[in-house]
Amino acid sequence: MAANKKSSVINMLIENLKRRLWPFALTLAGLFFSLPIYSLLLTSEWKERLMLGITTLGDVQTEFYKSILSPANVFLVLVIIVLAYINSLNGFSYLQDKNRCDMYCSLPIKRTTLFVENYATGIVMFALPFIVMWLITIIFGFSGGFMTGKILACAIPSLIYFLLIYILNYSFGILAVLLTGNIMVSILASLVFAFYFPMFFYGIESLMSSFFVTCYENPDSFINKWLEFLSPVFIPFKGVSILFESESVTFPGEYVVNMVICAVVSVLLFVLGHYLIRVRKTEVCSHAMAFNATKPVIKVCAMILAGIYGSLLMFYISGKKVGWLLFGLAIALMLAHAICEIIYEFDFKACIKHLFSFATGAVLTVLIIGSFVFDVFSYDKYIPDINKVSYAAISSAELQGSENYILMKDKDRQVLLDGGELDFTKVSYIYGNIFDYRLSHMEVDNAEAFQVLAASGLDWVDRNRYKMIFDNYYDPYAVEAMNPDEASERANITEIIIKWHLNNGRNVYRSYYIDITEGKEFEAFEDIYGTEEYKKGVYRILGADEKEIGNIDLSTPFYNKKLDLSDSEKQRLLKAVCTDINDGNARMLKEEYPIARLNCLPPGNGSMYAESSYSAVIYPSYKNTVSVLRDNGYEIDNNILTDDPSSIVIGQYNEEGDNYDEKEYFNREDIEKIIAASDPSEYLYENYALYKKAYSDINVDVYYEITDRNAGRNSYVNFRMRSDEIPDFLRNDLGLE
């Protein structure tokens, strides 16, 4: 008896080896090309750059680790994921063939033992060649001088990390096979495990952005924070950006968390698979699904996903029409039901079966979408309780709109903070988003003022919510073809983003349309603007390091000048600017247009992207700044008629918008009238939320004859004309009523 059992096990192992020859060969080839060959290709290019002196050996060693041996090797990650699913589908394919399944079940060995052996074989057949190729790559790195002891120390946890990524996806692939009875359905199940939850939550966020009018897509959203944890395919990419941005050899802590998650989930999947193999019936071979209980659950989930995307697709294609949304929802639900039933039964007639589960899926989908359309949970009406708010932040493109956020990378800034010296021609900069930067750097402790603004925004939402959702051509800023009261109100609104940071650490973001030009809304903004925290979150120059500033340029709509200042005068000017900013108030922003801008360049001009790394607009009330400039011989002259303009060109699109008509004027009197009715466009939207004016679509270009190209005078200046002040002669010439 023992001899027969031993013979059966040996025969099973031989059969198992025969079944896995081609996957093993594929694994070997895939790893060979994604490790040794891939490293050879990359290092050949690095050697050329090293010989030309374009890079250093230290940089090449860092790149060798990041691009080949670290978890940031995306090419290797993709190969591992593909191999994991191929090996899992192939290794347990006997469960989907009745003859082979009967043969294996007739062997004197428990199902669970067979499961464990097949499970382990799939891991070993990947792990052995992977470790060999890993070692070959490391040896190659040492032979070329690309490896160091530190890289080797980081390569060890990277090796374990890649193995865990394989085991996680391999385990999900096995689960797909255990739940199904057909290879094609197993592949579909693997795709479901890989992409269903990311797609579902993307759909939920799409519903939020479509039907919650105060929704603001922010870095703290569920998808942005948890996407990689929703799928075994996505989790390897969690933290890749951190490694790519790192300038040193390191194994980030984020990957340690990923390793723990992969290990725990893999163990749970193994336990679940061990249970399923015991209860799985052999007669389900060649069936679509191995367990009938999973059929309605999977179908309902498929219907919900199809309903969300189908309804949104038709909603936007039709121009936000309710009828088409319902049509897309109905078609998507019926298709999802029919496809699932046909797959389950392998029969087209099955699409009219199991209508109860169809009704369940349809009702759940309608409830989900309806809860967003009608804001059942009062998302748009939610304002955090004042007592629960730690601090808040505010941002708008129409408040200090010209502020630039070109930021020095952390590694370079740390050098300055540590008292070191930088070669600014090699410093790296990144572009910061005006909203994200302000919302993440501002901490204003004045929840009452933010409540006033939010309440005003909610009043707008209550009156306009469904117009904004279901009217594709609804523009909150449009004032044409409306009754005077509504036109007057909408002429002054602006979009404002508010972020509340709650005491429990949660961030709440909302987007509102608010008129802050007057009344209690202006007073609330005035209180917010007057805080030190607001100004630090907006004006980066308040925290500028003097080491980062070399030359300073003075620019106006009419000319640009490089300031010739001593170091002491430069410091005096920066101090004056900061003093004026801190002394400024919101009423000054409302009543004054900027007259100039200071642009601070790094020493030696630095990178071309750093030209506005620090900047500040100058208002007429900035007496300290104007005084320092005057003391150094720089008078801000914004009189456009100081030098006689040679001509003015008036441009305007025709009613159809397909042709741009221009008229040129040379008469001095005409030029003066046009300029008097216009404002320079340079700073037109600096604080547009505070001084809303109706501007026409008439474009005004004032041209000069430039005799001295070194004087810094602009050859032309662009203006926008105020709608209610267009000169009569210009109305006649343009055919305006």
Side-chain angles (χ1 to χ4, degrees):
M1 188 72 173
N4 290 336
K5 183 175 180 179
K6 182 178 180 180
S7 176
S8 297
V9 172
I10 294 174
N11 290 335
M12 181 195 65
L13 289 174
I14 294 174
E15 180 64 24
N16 197 28
L17 181 62
K18 288 180 180 179
R19 286 193 304 110
R20 299 206 177 193
L21 281 177
W22 74 263
F24 180 76
L26 184 63
T27 300
L28 196 62
L31 294 174
F32 178 69
F33 280 100
S34 59
L35 279 171
I37 297 299
Y38 185 55
S39 62
L40 183 63
L41 291 172
L42 291 182
T43 53
S44 62
E45 179 184 349
W46 294 336
K47 285 180 179 178
E48 292 181 8
R49 295 171 59 192
L50 197 59
M51 291 176 61
L52 295 172
I54 300 176
T55 187
T56 64
L57 180 59
D59 290 340
V60 170
Q61 290 171 340
T62 301
E63 283 299 317
F64 183 81
Y65 168 70
K66 289 200 302 183
S67 301
I68 300 171
L69 297 178
S70 81
N73 186 344
V74 176
F75 178 49
L76 178 59
V77 168
L78 294 176
V79 169
I80 288 174
I81 291 173
V82 172
L83 291 175
Y85 285 100
I86 290 175
N87 290 342
S88 61
L89 294 174
N90 176 266
F92 287 82
S93 61
Y94 71 91
L95 294 173
Q96 298 169 338
D97 185 297
K98 191 174 188 321
N99 294 329
R100 289 168 62 197
C101 190
D102 290 341
M103 182 193 73
Y104 277 104
C105 291
S106 66
L107 296 174
I109 185 172
K110 292 183 178 180
R111 286 188 184 184
T112 53
T113 304
L114 183 61
F115 170 79
V116 172
E117 184 171 328
N118 273 305
Y119 185 90
T121 301
I123 294 175
V124 171
M125 67 181 291
F126 170 82
L128 288 179
F130 180 69
I131 293 173
V132 170
M133 296 302 170
W134 194 261
L135 291 174
I136 292 174
T137 304
I138 289 176
I139 293 171
F140 169 74
F142 273 116
S143 65
F146 307 122
M147 286 288 297
T148 64
K150 187 176 182 180
I151 294 177
L152 181 61
C154 291
I156 295 173
S158 291
L159 170 68
I160 299 172
Y161 174 79
F162 283 123
L163 289 174
L164 288 172
I165 291 298
Y166 172 84
I167 294 172
L168 177 68
N169 284 274
Y170 175 70
S171 300
F172 269 105
I174 292 173
L175 181 62
V177 176
L178 291 173
L179 292 174
T180 60
N182 178 278
I183 185 63
M184 293 305 299
V185 182
S186 296
I187 294 174
L188 291 176
S190 298
L191 293 173
V192 169
F193 288 141
F195 300 108
Y196 183 85
F197 286 107
M199 290 184 66
F200 174 76
F201 285 104
Y202 264 125
I204 293 297
E205 293 213 344
S206 297
L207 289 173
M208 291 178 65
S209 61
S210 299
F211 301 115
F212 292 162
V213 298
T214 64
C215 180
Y216 172 70
E217 297 181 12
N218 61 83
D220 292 331
S221 67
F222 183 87
I223 281 292
N224 287 333
K225 293 181 69 173
W226 301 102
L227 173 64
E228 291 86 352
F229 297 115
L230 297 175
S231 163
V233 171
F234 290 175
I235 194 170
F237 301 100
K238 178 70 174 178
V240 168
S241 60
I242 296 175
L243 267 172
F244 272 126
E245 293 173 3
S246 173
E247 300 295 329
S248 60
V249 175
T250 182
F251 190 82
E254 285 81 356
Y255 285 104
V256 177
V257 176
N258 291 0
M259 292 170 69
V260 173
I261 293 173
C262 290
V264 171
V265 175
S266 297
V267 170
L268 293 176
L269 290 174
F270 174 79
V271 173
L272 177 61
H274 195 272
Y275 168 76
L276 291 176
I277 199 68
R278 286 192 291 110
V279 299
R280 191 179 190 273
K281 298 179 180 179
T282 57
E283 56 265 27
V284 300
C285 294
S286 300
H287 290 191
M289 303 300 297
F291 302 95
N292 288 328
T294 62
K295 290 182 179 180
V297 176
I298 293 173
K299 186 176 78 173
V300 168
C301 290
M303 289 177 63
I304 291 173
L305 191 66
I308 291 174
Y309 281 96
S311 59
L312 287 176
L313 178 65
M314 298 306 298
F315 180 61
Y316 283 108
I317 288 179
S318 66
K320 296 186 176 182
K321 298 296 187 294
V322 180
W324 283 101
L325 181 147
L326 297 174
F327 174 77
L329 174 62
I331 293 298
L333 291 175
M334 289 188 289
L335 282 176
H337 161 75
I339 291 172
C340 286
E341 290 297 340
I342 291 171
I343 291 175
Y344 290 161
E345 305 294 335
F346 299 115
D347 183 4
F348 282 99
K349 297 179 182 179
C351 63
I352 59 174
K353 295 182 179 179
H354 304 112
L355 297 182
F356 178 77
S357 58
F358 168 73
T360 302
V363 169
L364 287 176
T365 307
V366 169
L367 288 176
I368 291 173
I369 296 176
S371 67
F372 288 91
V373 174
F374 300 104
D375 195 12
V376 172
F377 301 105
S378 299
Y379 178 95
D380 280 334
K381 298 179 181 179
Y382 174 71
I383 301 178
D385 186 273
I386 291 179
N387 297 321
K388 296 180 180 180
V389 176
S390 174
Y391 60 82
I394 184 174
S395 183
S396 173
E398 296 182 353
L399 291 170
Q400 298 82 58
S402 68
E403 283 292 319
N404 290 327
Y405 298 97
I406 304 175
L407 313 174
M408 184 184 296
K409 286 193 174 181
D410 292 340
K411 67 178 182 68
D412 294 323
R413 174 165 291 280
Q414 192 60 46
V415 173
L416 290 180
L417 294 175
D418 294 339
E421 297 294 332
L422 276 179
D423 179 359
F424 281 90
T425 61
K426 297 181 180 179
V427 169
S428 300
Y429 292 86
I430 57 176
Y431 284 91
N433 178 281
I434 184 175
F435 296 102
D436 293 344
Y437 181 89
R438 294 182 183 181
L439 295 177
S440 62
H441 287 77
M442 189 185 300
E443 299 181 1
V444 179
D445 184 15
N446 188 348
E448 293 82 2
F450 285 91
Q451 299 292 87
V452 171
L453 294 179
S456 178
L458 289 186
D459 180 58
W460 171 267
V461 170
D462 289 340
R463 290 181 285 109
N464 296 280
R465 184 172 189 274
Y466 292 107
K467 292 179 184 177
M468 295 182 70
I469 292 175
F470 294 112
D471 187 349
N472 190 45
Y473 302 101
Y474 180 84
D475 180 0
Y477 296 109
V479 296
E480 295 84 359
M482 297 180 180
N483 64 69
D485 292 337
E486 186 177 3
S488 175
E489 175 193 24
R490 287 173 62 175
N492 292 324
I493 65 166
T494 191
E495 184 180 16
I496 291 178
I497 312 300
I498 295 178
K499 166 192 167 183
W500 289 278
H501 181 78
L502 307 186
N503 294 327
N504 61 8
R506 177 181 167 224
N507 291 323
V508 176
Y509 296 82
R510 291 294 186 271
S511 170
Y512 297 110
Y513 289 97
I514 311 172
D515 177 3
I516 62 171
T517 58
E518 57 187 5
K520 63 181 184 298
E521 291 83 7
F522 175 75
E523 293 174 359
F525 175 72
E526 191 173 24
D527 291 341
I528 294 170
Y529 184 83
T531 63
E532 179 183 357
E533 292 77 15
Y534 178 90
K535 292 175 180 177
K536 283 185 176 180
V538 173
Y539 302 108
R540 291 185 58 244
I541 198 167
L542 294 176
D545 191 320
E546 293 178 2
K547 294 181 181 179
E548 298 179 60
I549 299 175
N551 294 323
I552 299 179
D553 286 352
L554 175 67
S555 68
T556 76
F558 314 106
Y559 59 84
N560 297 282
K561 293 180 180 179
K562 180 176 289 186
L563 302 183
D564 184 13
L565 302 175
S566 65
D567 290 341
S568 60
E569 285 301 299
K570 195 183 303 177
Q571 294 176 11
R572 183 176 167 228
L573 177 61
L574 292 174
K575 184 177 180 180
V577 171
C578 294
T579 300
D580 286 332
I581 290 175
N582 287 321
D583 291 344
N585 55 62
R587 194 160 298 278
M588 177 202 71
L589 303 182
K590 177 181 174 68
E591 296 174 354
E592 299 180 4
Y593 275 19
I595 55 176
R597 173 195 293 278
L598 292 176
N599 294 316
C600 303
L601 284 70
N605 288 348
S607 167
M608 63 176 291
Y609 301 108
E611 291 184 359
S612 298
S613 57
Y614 289 108
S615 64
V617 294
I618 303 173
Y619 294 86
S621 294
Y622 279 15
K623 303 301 183 184
N624 297 294
T625 304
V626 173
S627 176
V628 173
L629 290 171
R630 185 180 296 117
D631 290 346
N632 286 273
Y634 299 103
E635 194 76 40
I636 299 176
D637 178 16
N638 282 345
N639 183 4
I640 192 169
L641 298 175
T642 299
D643 296 332
D644 288 337
S646 59
S647 67
I648 277 187
V649 175
I650 300 297
Q652 185 183 36
Y653 282 100
N654 60 10
E655 293 183 0
E656 292 75 21
D658 57 0
N659 188 39
Y660 188 71
D661 298 324
E662 291 185 342
K663 292 184 181 295
E664 190 166 9
Y665 295 85
F666 300 92
N667 181 274
R668 172 80 179 205
E669 183 179 350
D670 291 342
I671 291 176
E672 289 181 357
K673 289 180 180 179
I674 292 173
I675 291 175
S678 307
D679 292 315
S681 59
E682 178 81 11
Y683 305 118
L684 192 63
Y685 299 102
E686 178 67 21
N687 295 296
Y688 197 55
L690 298 175
Y691 48 69
K692 291 275 188 174
K693 294 182 180 179
Y695 286 93
S696 70
D697 60 354
I698 298 175
N699 191 59
V700 180
D701 288 327
V702 182
Y703 285 88
Y704 292 89
E705 290 289 345
I706 302 299
T707 56
D708 183 2
R709 294 290 177 182
N710 297 320
R713 190 80 183 183
N714 295 334
S715 60
Y716 80 97
V717 181
N718 181 259
F719 283 70
R720 288 291 302 279
M721 184 168 290
R722 297 186 290 275
S723 298
D724 57 351
E725 298 182 34
I726 302 174
D728 292 337
F729 77 89
L730 191 57
R731 287 183 177 275
N732 293 330
D733 291 349
L734 298 178
L736 301 176
E737 296 180 358

